[in-house]
Amino acid sequence: MKKQGMLMIISGPSGTGKGTVVKELVEKQQQFALSVSATTRSPRHNEIDGVHYYFYTREVFEKMKNENQLLEWAEFCGNYYGTPKEYVEQQMAEGKNVILEIEVQGALQIKKIYKDCILVFMIPPSAKELKKRLTERATEDEQTIQRRINRAIEEMEFVPQYDYIVINDTVCCAVNAICDIVKVEGMKSSRNINIKKQFKGEITSC
Amino acid sequence: MKKQGMLMIISGPSGTGKGTVVKELVEKQQQFALSVSATTRSPRHNEIDGVHYYFYTREVFEKMKNENQLLEWAEFCGNYYGTPKEYVEQQMAEGKNVILEIEVQGALQIKKIYKDCILVFMIPPSAKELKKRLTERATEDEQTIQRRINRAIEEMEFVPQYDYIVINDTVCCAVNAICDIVKVEGMKSSRNINIKKQFKGEITSC
């Protein structure tokens, strides 16, 4: 039987570069799988069902919600977004570490159910760097940037409820940090409760 | 100001090879310091005061005990053994990660005072390997070996109270595992409570 994978949730201010880190992790490290979210919004150009999102009707989404088939869900601008439980649990059963990139409220919702999921808060190396990254995107006006910065300050209030803080200085360092966290979490005694029994069994037979 | 070092306690069955791992860590990794124990027993040939042990009289030891200058203490075969608090705290203040190689009871005594100390339980790769290592020492008779194995089984009961289990397969792997634990513990949000404040301060000034 394969050892159960772990569930890791990554949150952090917009502009931190979480998406790039997660993409690199999933592409380069076979042990990770990215959770695919579900939404009721229409697919955009090039978006593939089951890859970028699971695209559901409101009826289907609401049925899943009511039948407890979502790890977390929220409604934004009239559309539902959520994390289907089945895919996550299936990947974990196959020994994959599943990564969810979601915002603070959803993360804390999941932590209530999965006590041993790992909450990672990713931040840029400095506030100055965050401002620089948001400005360099050049897709947003000054007002939107300021709103994102204010939101970042609000989100930082939740840091104490997260397990780890990863500083995204370079993508490579952040990827390594996450791999280290998974490795060390795997050594936790709470994740190795069988060792005691196994050792006792072995010792009596040798 | 230097970042405060961490306190790590390593326990585990006799014959696991903890001593070799700890020696390697302290010799090769500048970030670690080994705590020096205090005892009331007489120094053996070649043992240097302040290096192998602090050798104290019963009066001095009892005074330290009563004045709360010991992190933990115990009496074996009519001699006191203990961990002087001052040295440990001084090393941590200098940014060193202090390692204590002590038995289960002492470890749990310290965890009560230093909630954020890291408890590592080191085990051999298998019970068979433990038996082999104890037998190969060739310094002990069959009865003593059996007693040590029984003691190992008893000690395993305390594993759930430890934070991590490190398997000492090779010294190199065990050393790396401990370095990884220290690195990842350093990313814990509970050890970085200033980040939120720092980020807020930065953002208003940039």
Side-chain angles (χ1 to χ4, degrees), chain B residues 134-177:
Chain B
L134 286 172
T135 313
E136 277 172 1
R137 279 186 179 180
T139 53
E140 286 150 0
D141 57 27
E142 187 61 34
Q143 207 182 0
T144 313
I145 291 169
Q146 195 51 52
R147 206 161 48 225
R148 289 196 189 276
I149 286 170
N150 293 342
R151 176 79 189 125
I153 296 173
E154 278 168 37
E155 282 173 335
M156 293 292 284
E157 289 299 320
F158 293 92
V159 165
Q161 294 182 62
Y162 276 68
D163 300 305
Y164 300 101
I165 300 174
V166 167
I167 298 170
N168 184 16
D169 201 341
T170 67
V171 175
C172 175
C173 287
V175 165
N176 287 343

Side-chain angles (χ1 to χ4, degrees), chain B residues 32-198:
Chain B
F32 291 101
L34 185 62
S35 157
V36 180
S37 296
T39 182
T40 57
R41 78 154 166 77
S42 308
R44 288 182 196 141
H45 180 61
N46 281 342
E47 277 183 343
I48 303 159
D49 185 44
V51 176
H52 299 94
Y53 279 99
Y54 290 110
F55 295 101
Y56 293 137
T57 60
R58 283 190 80 84
E59 291 68 39
V60 171
F61 197 102
E62 277 170 358
K63 193 169 173 280
M64 289 179 79
K65 186 160 75 73
N66 297 333
E67 289 178 356
N68 202 23
Q69 291 176 40
L70 298 169
L71 285 181
E72 54 85 41
W73 66 274
E75 197 169 4
F76 293 115
C77 311
N79 287 308
Y80 283 130
Y81 293 83
T83 307
K85 202 187 265 186
E86 194 187 348
Y87 177 82
V88 170
E89 292 187 341
Q90 180 194 323
Q91 292 290 318
M92 284 165 71
E94 285 176 19
K96 294 262 188 182
N97 300 311
V98 180
I99 300 207
L100 262 76
E101 186 200 329
I102 53 173
E103 46 64 64
V104 172
Q105 305 296 346
L108 300 180
Q109 240 177 287
I110 294 180
K111 186 76 173 179
K112 276 190 198 150
I113 318 167
Y114 287 83
K115 301 276 181 219
D116 59 357
C117 82
I118 309 161
L119 295 190
V120 170
F121 199 87
M122 197 175 282
I123 56 168
S126 68
K128 204 174 163 187
E129 179 64 22
L130 177 68
K131 211 164 182 174
K132 188 168 158 267
R133 287 181 192 178
L134 286 172
T135 313
E136 277 172 1
R137 279 186 179 180
T139 53
E140 286 150 0
D141 57 27
E142 187 61 34
Q143 207 182 0
T144 313
I145 291 169
Q146 195 51 52
R147 206 161 48 225
R148 289 196 189 276
I149 286 170
N150 293 342
R151 176 79 189 125
I153 296 173
E154 278 168 37
E155 282 173 335
M156 293 292 284
E157 289 299 320
F158 293 92
V159 165
Q161 294 182 62
Y162 276 68
D163 300 305
Y164 300 101
I165 300 174
V166 167
I167 298 170
N168 184 16
D169 201 341
T170 67
V171 175
C172 175
C173 287
V175 165
N176 287 343
I178 288 173
C179 291
D180 286 340
I181 289 172
V182 166
K183 206 192 313 174
V184 167
E185 281 278 334
M187 290 188 251
K188 276 198 170 166
S189 62
S190 54
R191 295 189 196 270
N192 293 281
I193 43 169
N194 284 332
I195 277 195
K196 193 181 83 179
K197 213 174 139 191
Q198 196 183 317

